[in-house]
Amino acid sequence: QVQLVESGGGLVQAGGSLRLSCAASGSIFGINVMGWYRQAPGKQRELVASITRGGTTTYADPVKGRFTISRDNAKNTVALQMNSLKPDDTAVYYCNARSYQFMDYWGKGTLVTVSS
């Protein structure tokens, strides 16, 4: 099993920055892609950004140019640097890890609230 724990969420004003971190533990040998999803009230969970073990990144259109995902394979961590935050970024952010067999693991989430 793989356990994921997020940290770094909080309340920030529009235009501000936050850095989210996710620590993975357990049977991590088969993990390929790690990423961040978010879910706002009444909306479906959506992909924010992802990164492969080799460092290939993918970003959702609304966060391109503002968010940066990074990964430290040695420390088994993934981070999301969020700059120029907007009220529309308000959501619970979930860390995700996907194995080579496409099995998904999820953290419990961390709340990001952006005030106007």
Side-chain angles (χ1 to χ4, degrees):
Q1 297 294 323
V2 175
Q3 294 81 44
L4 304 174
V5 179
E6 306 99 332
S7 62
L11 175 64
V12 65
Q13 291 184 342
S17 299
L18 283 174
R19 183 177 178 86
L20 306 182
S21 182
C22 173
S25 62
S27 301
I28 63 172
F29 306 108
I31 298 300
N32 179 20
V33 184
M34 296 189 70
W36 291 91
Y37 288 71
R38 66 185 182 186
Q39 187 169 24
K43 297 183 178 180
Q44 188 173 348
R45 188 174 301 186
E46 63 180 5
L47 175 69
V48 178
S50 66
I51 183 168
T52 68
R53 182 174 292 273
T56 302
T57 59
T58 300
Y59 294 94
D61 286 339
V63 308
K64 288 181 178 177
R66 299 188 297 120
F67 292 10
T68 302
I69 189 170
S70 60
R71 181 172 178 173
D72 189 331
N73 293 321
K75 295 182 178 180
N76 301 317
T77 60
V78 61
L80 185 69
Q81 179 66 45
M82 305 185 294
N83 298 327
S84 301
L85 283 162
K86 304 175 181 179
D88 285 347
D89 296 319
T90 296
V92 177
Y93 284 71
Y94 297 90
C95 183
N96 167 262
R98 179 167 291 178
S99 72
Y100 288 97
Q101 291 73 43
F102 292 93
M103 178 175 290
D104 281 324
Y105 302 91
W106 297 93
K108 294 182 178 180
T110 184
L111 177 62
V112 173
T113 303
V114 184
S115 65
S116 60

